[in-house]
Every structure is written in C-alpha cells, then in structure tokens.
Amino acid sequence: MTDDYRRRIGKLIRDSRQHRGWTQTQLADALATSQSAVNRMERGQQNLSLEMLARIGEALDSEIVSLGTSGPMHLRVVGGNPLSGSIDVKSSKNAGVALLCASLLNRGRTVLRKVARIEEVNRILEVLGSIGVKTRWLNADNDLEIMRPELLDLDAIDEHAARRTRSVLMFLGPLMHSEDNFELPYAGGCDLGARTVEPHMIALRPFGLSVKATAGSYHATVDGRTAPARPIVLTERGDTVTENALLAAAGADGVTVIRNASPNYMVQDLCVFLTRLGVRIDGIGTTTLTVHGRTAISADVDYAPSEDPIEAMSLLTAAIVTGSEITVRRAPIEFLEIELALLEEMGLDYSRTEEYQAANGHTRLVDITVRPSVLHSPIDKIHPMPFPGLNIDNLPFFAAIAASAHGATMIHDWVYDKRAIYLTELTKLGARVQLADPHRVYVEGPTRWSAAEVICPPALRPAVVILIAMLAAKGTSVLRNVYVINRGYEDLANRLNQLGAQIEIFRDI
C-alpha cells in the first residue's frame, strides 16, 4: 500500500467507526486486536490485508474497500451551480412499504402502480419471496403484482433481508390472522437510536398477539379467542404503530376503534387501500379510526400509492439551497402546508397551482415553483409534530435551509435519540452547526458552502441533506457509501442531473 492509500483508508475506517458510535477500543475488541493497532490503522500507519479490510467492514457494517461492482456506491458531486426545470415527485416510500405488508391480508391478486424501486422495497420483496409470496414487476412504469399463497413458509424467511429493514415489524398485524405461532428477525433500518417496539405490542395485544424477544428474533403467539373489548388507545401516535393496528383490525372479526391514531400520509394511503379490499374504515385522516374487519379477504385489487411528500420536500430544499428556480410537480399539498407556511415566513418566493387529485382518488396534489430567495431565520425554533404538524422526516431539511438563511436557528429533533447529531456533518461543508444536546442543534447562516469528502450518515434524511449541501458547494465533493439514500429514493442522482446537477455515481476500484 502507498502512504496515500493507507491514509485515505484510515480516514474511512475512522469515519465509519465514529458513525457507528464506537470507540477505538470497541472496534479493537470486535477485531480481536489492540486499541493501539486500530489507532495506527486510522492514522494510515499500518498495512492492511484484504482479509482485515473485510473484517473491519463487517464489524462496522460499512464496506471500506471493494473489488468489482458489488461494493458500496459513492457519489461525486460538482456543486456551486444553479438548477432549473421541472421534476415529478415519485410515489411514497413509506406508503409503498406499508402496502406491500398489507398485501399479506389478501388472498387475491394485488397490483400496485408506480411503486418506488428503492432498496427498502427490495428488502421487503426479498422477505416476501422467501416465504412463498409471488411478486413480479409488470412493466417499466414500476407496476408490481403480488400473489400470496394459501400457506406461507415462515421457516424459510430471509433473515438477512429482514434485518436490514424496520418495516418487517408490519408483518405482525397481517400474519397474526393466518399463523398461531411464528418468528420474525429483529428489525433494522436507519440508525436512529433506541426506538422501542413496545408501542406495537400495546396496539396488538388486544387482538391476542403476544411477542417475546429472544436470540435475535421476535417470537409471536396468537390467541385467536381474544378480541379488543374496548377502543385501542395508542400510547404513541406513530405511523407504523397505527398501520400495524390497522392491519390487525382489518383482518379481525367485528368493529375496532383505534384512538390517537396517526393521520399521516402513509396511513391514509393504507386506509384507502384497505377499503379497496372491502374493509370499511370511518375517520380516514383523523386520529380516531373505526375499522369494520373482515376475516376472509380475497379481492383482485389495483391501487396506485400517492406521491411522497418527503421526496417533494427534498426537491424543494435542493432548489432553495442552490438558489434555483425549480417546479416540483405532483406534490401532496396536504402534507406540505406547514412546511410551506414556515418557508414563506422565512422569505421564500414560491407559487403553486390549483389542486388536482392523485391516482388513488384521495390525495390532493399541486405543482410548486420555487424561485431564488433571500431567507432569514424564523422567530421561533423549528420542531416537528405529528400530522398535521411539520413532518418529522422533513425536519432535517431545515438544517440545510437554515444554513442558507440569515440569522441563527434552533432545530429541535425531539423524536429520535441521535438523528440531530448527524446534522453536524454539515460543518464539513462549511456550515456553522453547533450541537446543544442529542436532540437540538443551532444553525447560523448564511453559509459559504465548500466542497468536502464525507461518509454518508447512517440515517436516511440527514444523508440527503448532506447531498443537497454538496450541490451548493463550489468544487468537487464526494459522498461515500450511499446505500442509505437508495433505501428511500429511486435514482435520485440521475434525476437531479436532469435538473442540471453534476453527480457521478462510482464504486471503489
């Protein structure tokens, strides 16, 4: 190895270790070596075999170096230029995943239109395929057919795929209607701190589901004689918790009332889909849902999940931070109104069309045109709230927006244990971001963005925030190991290139 390669690899090891939240001693323990050896590796002062690099990558869940095209994907970004043009918002990642899980309730043929071909969907499809569900892409428009067999082979579940997505938790609701005993691997997904599954258990116990966590799996048993005796009150107004309760209620006999339910976009999409399966649901879009369940669901259903408000916010942020005029088409306005009201207060110049209906017949869409604006910091802190408040997943984008505005802004990410910490990565690109605690950051702008090489944060939205900042930074930046972005966005780099961005996809030699 040359000294330059040793130093570059050492930097990647150090950044990967820090993103994992490990000390050098913890990495040394995982590698059965010493802390001083890890220190030498990170300083580029030790030769490393391919075997050792592979062991380091496995320990940190981040491939450091790869051969051929099977390794991690990286992005090279030439920034500092304005974007222009129009772009359509793709279908919702979170709705698409929920609908794939909901398809387990249906013994008929399910067709979902324009499903986002993202890594999160791929993992769910791998899990479904491993237990006997037949899936196939029908055309280039990403229409997807799902056929569930009468009997599922849960013993054959793809554990590797299941552990790479937290969405596998939403198998609990539908599977309890066909299985008395089953196991699911521990859920994975974004590294956002300790996100307990207990709210899911509280929602599903009234249906007779009992879950014990042992040896890396959830062991579920179902008492089919148990039914909710009174309304289910969710202790957490979470999206996936509400979806799990809906899936359990949809396949249960009788009427179930769910209170403190999330009325967010993916929950509404799931409700509309379930009505197409013949399940009556009253209160769609509110925090109280009344579900008239059906014990036998067998319908040929054709459904188009709505557009993704988080992707829409990503594209709007790219326009704002790069000082560009862009039209974001097919934006679900009901789930962006608070964000736009806040941006308008900050000085954003934008316009929007009259509303029109999405293909699901329920969601309201608009086209939004953003123009270059001089922004100032808001009077109050920026914080998320359950819908209809500012969306939790849209909060990270305001870090890049605040860094582009005049003045100081406090961003309070109270939901996740450590997602706010990842926003401090913007400092590598010239932003002034100060961490107050694991939930709060202070951002001072405006920023003179500068190019840098950054390893991708392990959380989806902060990772996209880094990419957007790179679009504004003059010079050439590198964003390494972008798998987490591919979990939630389909072909994002090439779609941004159609607006005039210069993003090259590459892999290690």
Side-chain angles (χ1 to χ4, degrees):
M1 281 188 186
T2 66
D3 290 344
D4 180 57
Y5 270 107
R6 279 198 298 261
R7 284 193 297 269
R8 289 170 63 186
I9 291 172
K11 181 178 183 296
L12 289 174
I13 294 171
R14 182 199 66 203
D15 287 349
S16 296
R17 173 182 60 77
Q18 290 174 345
H19 278 296
R20 185 72 185 267
W22 280 9
T23 64
Q24 288 185 340
T25 300
Q26 287 173 302
L27 177 56
D29 290 344
L31 299 175
T33 187
S34 65
Q35 181 272 331
S36 59
V38 171
N39 183 266
R40 288 195 301 273
M41 294 176 196
E42 294 186 355
R43 294 169 62 187
Q45 297 177 350
Q46 182 158 318
N47 286 324
L48 296 170
S49 66
L50 287 176
E51 179 186 0
M52 175 56 78
L53 286 171
R55 288 173 57 198
I56 295 170
E58 183 177 358
L60 297 173
D61 194 24
S62 176
E63 291 183 80
I64 305 300
V65 172
S66 62
L67 301 175
T69 59
S70 61
M73 179 187 295
H74 318 299
L75 299 178
R76 185 176 290 113
V77 183
V78 179
N81 301 310
L83 311 177
S84 63
S86 301
I87 186 168
D88 288 351
V89 178
K90 288 191 174 287
S91 67
S92 164
K93 164 225 174 197
N94 288 324
V97 167
L99 298 177
L100 287 175
C101 297
S103 70
L104 288 170
L105 288 170
N106 187 23
R107 294 325 201 265
R109 177 177 181 260
T110 300
V111 174
L112 301 177
R113 300 292 176 183
K114 295 185 177 179
V115 176
R117 296 191 76 159
I118 55 179
E119 293 300 333
E120 187 82 352
V121 166
N122 291 340
R123 300 295 81 76
I124 293 295
L125 291 179
E126 288 168 0
V127 175
L128 289 173
S130 70
I131 62 177
V133 178
K134 303 297 183 185
T135 65
R136 67 185 180 109
W137 297 100
L138 299 177
N139 49 44
D141 289 332
N142 292 1
D143 296 342
L144 179 66
E145 178 188 72
I146 306 125
M147 297 285 293
R148 185 209 141 126
E150 188 61 33
L151 296 176
L152 297 170
D153 185 6
L154 291 177
D155 290 337
I157 193 167
D158 185 334
E159 292 191 11
H160 179 69
R163 293 188 196 283
R164 299 188 76 182
T165 169
R166 187 174 172 82
S167 302
V168 75
L169 272 174
M170 284 189 289
F171 279 33
L172 290 171
L175 288 180
M176 62 178 294
H177 298 302
S178 60
E179 310 292 330
D180 294 330
N181 296 276
F182 60 94
E183 291 185 21
L184 291 176
Y186 278 148
C190 286
D191 182 6
L192 295 172
R195 296 168 63 187
T196 176
V197 299
E198 183 59 23
H200 293 263
M201 304 303 101
I202 292 171
L204 298 177
R205 283 190 196 111
F207 296 97
L209 181 71
S210 175
V211 177
K212 292 183 179 179
T214 57
S217 295
Y218 302 114
H219 297 255
T221 57
V222 182
D223 182 353
R225 301 165 298 176
T226 304
R230 57 180 181 269
I232 295 172
V233 180
L234 303 182
T235 57
E236 173 187 291
R237 196 188 298 176
D239 301 323
T240 56
V241 173
T242 302
E243 288 166 330
N244 240 340
L246 274 167
L247 293 171
D253 191 22
V255 178
T256 304
V257 177
I258 305 169
R259 293 188 176 146
N260 196 32
S262 166
N264 210 356
Y265 64 96
M266 70 291 283
V267 176
Q268 292 195 32
D269 240 334
L270 176 60
C271 286
V272 177
F273 173 75
L274 291 173
T275 63
R276 302 286 174 84
L277 293 179
V279 177
R280 177 181 158 193
I281 302 176
D282 302 324
I284 297 175
T286 75
T287 57
T288 299
L289 299 172
T290 303
V291 184
H292 301 255
R294 298 183 61 188
T295 55
I297 298 176
S298 181
D300 291 338
V301 63
D302 191 313
Y303 186 76
S306 184
E307 285 72 10
D308 193 329
I310 315 304
E311 180 179 285
M313 186 66 198
S314 309
L315 299 170
L316 293 172
T317 303
I320 294 167
V321 174
T322 60
S324 305
E325 180 168 336
I326 292 176
T327 298
V328 178
R329 297 186 300 229
R330 305 188 66 81
I333 186 60
E334 181 179 1
F335 308 102
L336 290 165
E337 286 178 321
I338 300 297
E339 287 82 342
L340 287 172
L342 176 56
L343 289 169
E344 190 170 359
E345 176 196 330
M346 294 175 70
L348 181 66
D349 178 15
Y350 77 97
S351 58
R352 70 191 212 192
T353 64
E354 294 295 321
E355 295 178 1
Y356 54 96
Q357 205 168 64
N360 67 3
H362 178 77
T363 306
R364 298 180 285 115
L365 306 178
V366 298
D367 300 344
I368 302 171
T369 299
V370 173
R371 289 174 283 273
S373 309
V374 177
L375 302 183
H376 56 81
S377 58
I379 296 173
D380 200 0
K381 67 181 178 182
I382 301 177
H383 63 97
M385 290 292 287
F387 179 80
L390 190 147
N391 194 290
I392 291 164
D393 283 338
N394 278 339
L395 183 73
F397 300 114
F398 279 93
I401 293 170
S404 303
H406 292 262
T409 303
M410 198 267 270
I411 294 176
H412 186 193
D413 192 351
W414 57 267
V415 178
Y416 297 119
D417 286 349
K418 58 184 180 180
R419 188 174 67 173
I421 297 173
Y422 301 134
L423 297 177
T424 61
E425 293 291 274
L426 288 171
T427 59
K428 296 179 179 178
L429 295 157
R432 287 165 287 175
V433 181
Q434 182 179 356
L435 184 69
D437 56 50
H439 294 278
R440 296 181 302 159
V441 294
Y442 290 94
V443 184
E444 188 174 349
T447 297
R448 184 172 181 178
W449 300 103
S450 57
E453 180 169 330
V454 182
I455 192 166
C456 213
L460 172 57
R461 310 306 172 181
V464 177
V465 169
I466 298 297
L467 174 59
I468 290 171
M470 287 179 171
L471 294 175
K474 288 185 178 180
T476 301
S477 297
V478 173
L479 186 58
R480 288 194 164 271
N481 200 350
V482 295
Y483 173 83
V484 68
I485 293 179
N486 295 333
R487 277 189 56 230
Y489 292 78
E490 180 182 352
D491 201 23
L492 181 59
N494 287 327
R495 293 170 66 222
L496 288 170
N497 285 343
Q498 293 172 12
L499 296 172
Q502 293 179 258
I503 305 174
E504 176 191 356
I505 300 170
F506 72 101
R507 297 178 187 269
D508 293 323
I509 299 174

